[in-house]
Amino acid sequence: MAEPGDNVTIPEFNNLLQMDPLLKTYDKDFQRRYELLQKKLFQLEEAEGGFDQFTRSYRTFGVQRQPDNSLFFKEWAPAAEALFLTGDFNNWNKFSHPYTKKDFGKWELILLPRHDKSPAVDHNTKLKVVVHTKEGERLYRISPWAKYVTREEKSVIYDWVHWDPALPYIQIHPRPKKPTSLRIYEAHVGIASPESTIASYTNFTTNVLPRIKDLGYNCIQLMAIMEHAYYASFGYQVTSFFAASSRYGTPDELKLLIDTAHSMGIMVLLDVVHSHASKNVEDGLNKFDGSDSCFFHSSPRGDHSQWDSRLFNYSSWEVLRFLLSNLRWWMEEYRFDGFRFDGVTSMLYHHHGVGTGFSGDYSEYFGLQVDEDSLVYLMLANHILHTLYPSCITVAEDVSGMPALCREVQEGGLGFDYRLAMAIPDKWIQILKELKDEDWDMGNIIHTLTNRRYGEKCIAYAESHDQALVGDKSLAFWLMDKEMYTNMSSLIPMTPVIDRGLQLHKMIRLLTHSMGGEGYLNFMGNEFGHPEWLDFPREGNNQSYHYARRQFNLLDIDNLRYHQLYAFDRDMNRTEDKYGWLAAPPAFVSAKHEGDKVIVFDRANVLFIFNFHPTKSFQGYRVAVDVPGKYKIKLDSDMVQYGGHGRLDHNTEFFTEAQPFNGRPNSMQVYIPCRTAIVLANEEIDYCY
């Protein structure tokens, strides 16, 4: 690999420019970013033997058992004066086991095996790094590379526990193939049971995975797995980056969960937090070597004022080693299938998106406000992940709309597979909060659902964990509010509030699913209209678990209407699985009638018809059709088993006429009841895709 100079060209930059010629103005920015990436790759080749070796640093840092059962310890603590290892193994002697200082701020220690050839540190016993600073302080730290940390019941601080079982769990099921249509179930292990407690990995494997499979989701996005000392941070204040949270169980139990998901053909993504880290000192990364910087920029650049957390120094060689090896660790050790990168907007800009409204003007995405160190880190991460694991999926949580975020690195993009369509849930909540049903603006809804960068894939969602958090309300709660506690029984007549809520809940989901992106996401429990928000135990609620749970038990009570919403969500996913609209080009909208409140569009040769009118049903309503033939109803939100009124006959055959209408060569007449969505497919087409 030759050292990059001014003559580095972006191999497939023309692809990007053909997609969006306006980016030509910023070709120098793309060139510089790509050159910085090539320079990093060159340096990795020269100094570390390439990124493959570099990203396996989790095999040399922290603690490693050697073939002869000696233990090798290695840390990076550039500002430390001396390092010692203490723990149960030496009766917490602070000075008996000093590390040896090496070049570049590295420290190493070898513990020979005992006389019986067993390792000097037993599995499941506690350790600490003792850091002596140049100022004469003595600090007790957890290794940044610790693979397991636990907390005693009465303690606030986590302990580093040596994890080295005699018979570790070996995963046996191959990774599933990358799906063409991505349907994500966003989940949190700790709240995944009706009990007022922290649920376990084992509970998730036994009780939740079968539901996810039944619902037709092919991917799970697991939140709050990277260890975080504060449960109520929802996993976003990470303290130990290599440790799977022990509050749900052991590393082996998480491996079994992922292995079981793989056996069901379900991919598992990790919600990875590389945008910032917890400020915790005793059980976090902050001030590991006694200095303000180490893994982070020194203050003020290294502080995120809104999140009260520390910001990584992505230009640091050892920070790159740590973070890139972290991604590799989760892929290799636990066999995750990819990542949802949290807080990408905060990473991309020096202003972190704070107090900045993104208008879509291209000048906002280039120039001095862009943090090119972290941008190049993301390019590097995606390049390495997709090179080593071609079927890996990466999703960016970015609200800014950075162009080329989801284009390949060799085109000059950042290399993500998908971005989250974060404007869609905001739009639904705004509509439900501010507008009467008769004032819904069909054109505005369609604009929000289709306003995405061409050629860059989006994950659409009506609501995620963000909308379920305390202080906000889930869509079901916005729609039905307190009546969910009293009127969800199917043994009593539906009240107007419940009727409206059930019908709109289904329609909002189907419209988002079919029009909003190239993937779909749902947060656990919302598929059946979970009745309550989400609030973790904290001081403000007397440490209550009442809202930190998901009441799956409601589905098992036959006379409650929650299972009707569940059944619709399941059949919506199964219908998509058959016809593949998420993998198809964007929808062609043939009608958005403001007076009738009707939306008609086709995608993947499937016809979608939505009548949002609160009271008007339409007989003989003409709709535009692309492909001629005989159509039949394949999904109908008005079916009785979905809590509808059963007003449509599914034996009806709809025949097209060669009568051009609304931009399509054919059309046909249909009956669409009020507050109903229907999906029709052409009986004469082979939909195998």
Side-chain angles (χ1 to χ4, degrees):
M1 187 188 278
E3 183 159 10
D6 294 334
N7 57 352
V8 172
T9 53
I10 305 171
E12 295 170 27
F13 191 46
N14 278 340
N15 286 3
L16 189 62
L17 295 184
Q18 279 174 342
M19 196 84 65
D20 186 353
L22 294 175
L23 294 174
K24 180 82 180 87
T25 312
Y26 303 98
D27 59 354
K28 291 270 189 299
D29 293 83
F30 282 104
Q31 182 77 20
R32 188 175 58 255
R33 293 169 182 184
Y34 191 76
E35 273 185 34
L36 288 168
L37 171 74
Q38 293 304 317
K39 190 175 177 191
K40 279 276 187 286
L41 289 169
F42 174 78
Q43 289 169 340
L44 285 173
E45 200 70 48
E46 291 285 288
E48 303 275 349
F51 63 71
D52 187 14
Q53 208 156 310
F54 186 64
T55 56
R56 289 184 191 270
S57 293
Y58 60 82
R59 292 183 173 181
T60 49
F61 280 75
V63 53
Q64 310 293 332
R65 179 153 57 89
Q66 306 301 321
D68 68 349
N69 273 353
S70 62
L71 296 173
F72 175 69
F73 292 80
K74 185 174 185 176
E75 299 297 347
W76 175 63
E81 185 67 29
L83 246 61
F84 298 87
L85 185 71
T86 187
D88 291 330
F89 79 98
N90 68 0
N91 294 317
W92 296 95
N93 187 312
K94 301 178 194 66
F95 306 111
S96 59
H97 290 82
Y99 285 72
T100 305
K101 190 171 188 178
K102 301 289 182 183
D103 291 340
F104 308 114
K106 311 279 175 48
W107 299 83
E108 293 179 3
L109 164 65
I110 294 171
L111 289 188
L112 295 173
R114 298 188 183 110
H115 292 306
D116 63 1
K117 300 286 190 284
S118 66
V121 180
D122 290 330
H123 167 61
N124 234 351
T125 61
K126 291 178 187 174
L127 293 166
K128 270 272 194 327
V129 178
V130 186
V131 179
H132 284 249
T133 69
K134 293 182 170 64
E135 292 74 38
E137 290 176 286
R138 185 188 304 156
L139 312 170
Y140 294 91
R141 296 288 186 257
I142 290 176
S143 168
W145 303 79
K147 298 177 179 72
Y148 191 54
V149 296
T150 63
R151 186 172 62 86
E152 301 278 338
E153 201 171 324
K154 300 252 185 322
S155 173
V156 178
I157 307 295
Y158 273 75
D159 295 307
W160 174 19
V161 174
H162 181 54
W163 184 260
D164 187 17
L167 294 169
Y169 180 81
I170 306 293
Q171 289 162 308
I172 54 170
H173 295 286
R175 298 180 193 274
K177 284 213 313 250
K178 192 174 188 169
T180 48
S181 292
L182 192 63
R183 301 182 297 272
I184 300 175
Y185 194 83
E186 184 184 41
H188 184 293
V189 169
I191 63 167
S193 98
E195 312 298 322
S196 290
T197 182
I198 297 177
S200 66
Y201 295 124
T202 304
N203 163 72
F204 197 94
T205 305
T206 308
N207 298 320
V208 186
L209 283 182
R211 291 191 196 272
I212 296 170
K213 175 69 176 167
D214 178 57
L215 281 163
Y217 291 94
N218 53 25
C219 183
I220 300 165
Q221 181 179 300
L222 278 186
M223 309 180 64
I225 294 296
M226 300 165 80
E227 190 60 272
H228 47 293
Y230 183 43
Y231 189 42
S233 77
F234 217 135
Y236 289 121
Q237 297 273 343
V238 176
T239 43
S240 288
F241 282 74
F242 286 81
S245 181
S246 60
R247 55 171 62 83
Y248 320 125
T250 68
D252 283 1
E253 286 161 349
L254 174 57
K255 288 176 186 177
L256 174 61
L257 186 165
I258 294 167
D259 204 20
T260 308
H262 286 170
S263 77
M264 297 173 169
I266 298 171
M267 298 182 92
V268 189
L269 305 183
L270 175 72
D271 199 343
V272 74
V273 187
H274 280 183
S275 45
H276 64 130
S278 166
K279 267 190 169 168
N280 284 21
V281 172
E282 285 194 60
D283 54 9
L285 285 184
N286 195 13
K287 301 184 178 173
F288 172 66
D289 63 357
S291 73
D292 181 49
S293 49
C294 198
F295 288 93
F296 310 110
H297 289 292
S298 49
S299 300
R301 188 179 174 188
D303 295 315
H304 195 299
S305 54
Q306 274 201 339
W307 294 346
D308 193 32
S309 55
R310 297 303 313 266
L311 296 169
F312 286 106
N313 177 3
Y314 302 101
S315 64
S316 157
W317 192 258
E318 293 304 321
V319 170
L320 287 182
R321 181 195 305 281
F322 183 77
L323 293 175
L324 293 170
S325 297
N326 189 236
L327 296 173
R328 191 82 191 269
W329 161 259
W330 293 109
M331 293 293 288
E332 289 284 332
E333 183 70 15
Y334 287 94
R335 293 180 61 75
F336 279 95
D337 301 291
F339 303 96
R340 178 257 200 193
F341 280 77
D342 174 67
V344 167
T345 309
S346 173
M347 295 173 76
L348 290 175
Y349 308 96
H350 291 296
H351 53 62
H352 307 302
V354 176
T356 308
F358 290 95
S359 67
D361 187 303
Y362 277 19
S363 64
E364 295 166 345
Y365 307 120
F366 303 96
L368 295 177
Q369 66 266 41
V370 176
D371 185 337
E372 289 194 337
D373 289 337
S374 47
L375 184 142
V376 171
Y377 165 69
L378 291 170
M379 290 175 79
L380 194 57
N382 276 312
H383 170 70
I384 291 170
L385 285 169
H386 289 96
T387 304
L388 294 171
Y389 313 98
S391 63
C392 167
I393 292 174
T394 58
V395 181
E397 189 217 19
D398 169 47
V399 76
S400 76
M402 164 81 72
L405 185 78
C406 301
R407 297 301 301 180
E408 292 184 7
V409 168
Q410 59 261 39
E411 292 182 1
L414 270 72
F416 284 99
D417 295 286
Y418 298 88
R419 62 151 50 91
L420 291 172
M422 298 175 76
I424 296 174
D426 293 346
K427 175 55 67 178
W428 287 124
I429 297 251
Q430 182 211 342
I431 288 169
L432 295 177
K433 264 167 121 163
E434 297 174 8
L435 299 178
K436 295 199 199 89
D437 291 6
E438 52 270 27
D439 295 335
W440 286 26
D441 183 332
M442 300 294 111
N444 184 247
I445 291 169
I446 287 169
H447 174 74
T448 304
L449 287 165
T450 55
N451 180 26
R452 55 187 184 271
R453 290 188 60 76
Y454 181 73
E456 298 195 37
K457 292 182 186 170
C458 276
I459 305 284
Y461 56 105
E463 52 184 335
S464 70
H465 70 274
D466 283 327
Q467 285 71 40
L469 287 172
V470 67
D472 205 336
K473 297 191 217 175
S474 65
L475 287 183
F477 224 82
W478 277 114
L479 288 161
M480 296 177 275
D481 211 43
K482 60 182 184 298
E483 285 206 24
M484 296 190 80
Y485 297 119
T486 53
N487 296 336
M488 282 296 270
S489 169
S490 54
L491 303 177
I492 57 171
M494 264 196 279
T495 66
V497 168
I498 296 295
D499 188 7
R500 171 182 178 266
L502 293 180
Q503 310 326 324
L504 290 179
H505 194 272
K506 294 175 289 187
M507 294 178 74
I508 286 169
R509 286 181 138 56
L510 179 60
L511 186 56
T512 303
H513 200 303
S514 52
M515 187 185 270
E518 290 69 38
Y520 177 75
L521 177 141
N522 164 67
F523 179 63
M524 67 184 313
N526 287 353
E527 70 277 3
F528 63 84
H530 196 277
E532 284 165 347
W533 61 27
L534 191 57
D535 188 15
F536 287 87
R538 56 191 172 85
E539 272 180 32
N541 65 13
N542 293 322
Q543 305 298 334
S544 167
Y545 285 89
H546 181 75
Y547 296 107
R549 61 196 180 112
R550 298 274 95 176
Q551 298 179 60
F552 290 112
N553 54 311
L554 295 172
L555 288 172
D556 304 324
I557 304 169
D558 288 342
N559 62 0
L560 291 182
R561 295 191 179 275
Y562 296 103
H563 69 83
Q564 296 172 338
L565 294 177
Y566 176 98
F568 180 77
D569 199 81
R570 177 194 65 208
D571 292 352
M572 174 173 70
N573 281 325
R574 290 180 180 180
T575 309
E576 195 289 324
D577 193 56
K578 183 170 182 183
Y579 298 107
W581 60 72
L582 287 169
F588 177 89
V589 181
S590 57
K592 43 184 175 186
H593 198 294
E594 297 301 342
D596 295 345
K597 301 293 174 219
V598 169
I599 293 171
V600 183
F601 62 92
D602 56 82
R603 189 176 181 189
N605 292 322
V606 177
L607 187 65
F608 297 85
I609 305 170
F610 291 80
N611 177 6
F612 279 100
H613 203 288
T615 55
K616 272 192 200 167
S617 300
F618 299 102
Q619 193 79 45
Y621 200 87
R622 187 163 293 279
V623 295
V625 186
D626 186 26
V627 181
K630 177 177 78 175
Y631 283 74
K632 287 196 80 172
I633 295 171
K634 300 300 175 185
L635 186 65
D636 161 19
S637 71
D638 196 47
M639 286 178 76
V640 173
Q641 70 244 44
Y642 306 146
H645 302 284
R647 291 168 289 184
L648 288 162
D649 178 2
H650 285 221
N651 293 316
T652 307
E653 295 175 335
F654 301 90
F655 292 91
T656 58
E657 305 164 52
Q659 182 177 335
F661 188 68
N662 284 355
R664 286 304 198 200
N666 303 287
S667 59
M668 61 190 183
Q669 290 180 297
V670 294
Y671 166 52
I672 34 173
C674 61
R675 283 200 187 122
T676 295
I678 48 178
V679 178
L680 299 113
N682 191 322
E683 294 279 282
E684 295 162 13
I685 294 180
D686 179 6
Y687 280 98
C688 294
Y689 70 96

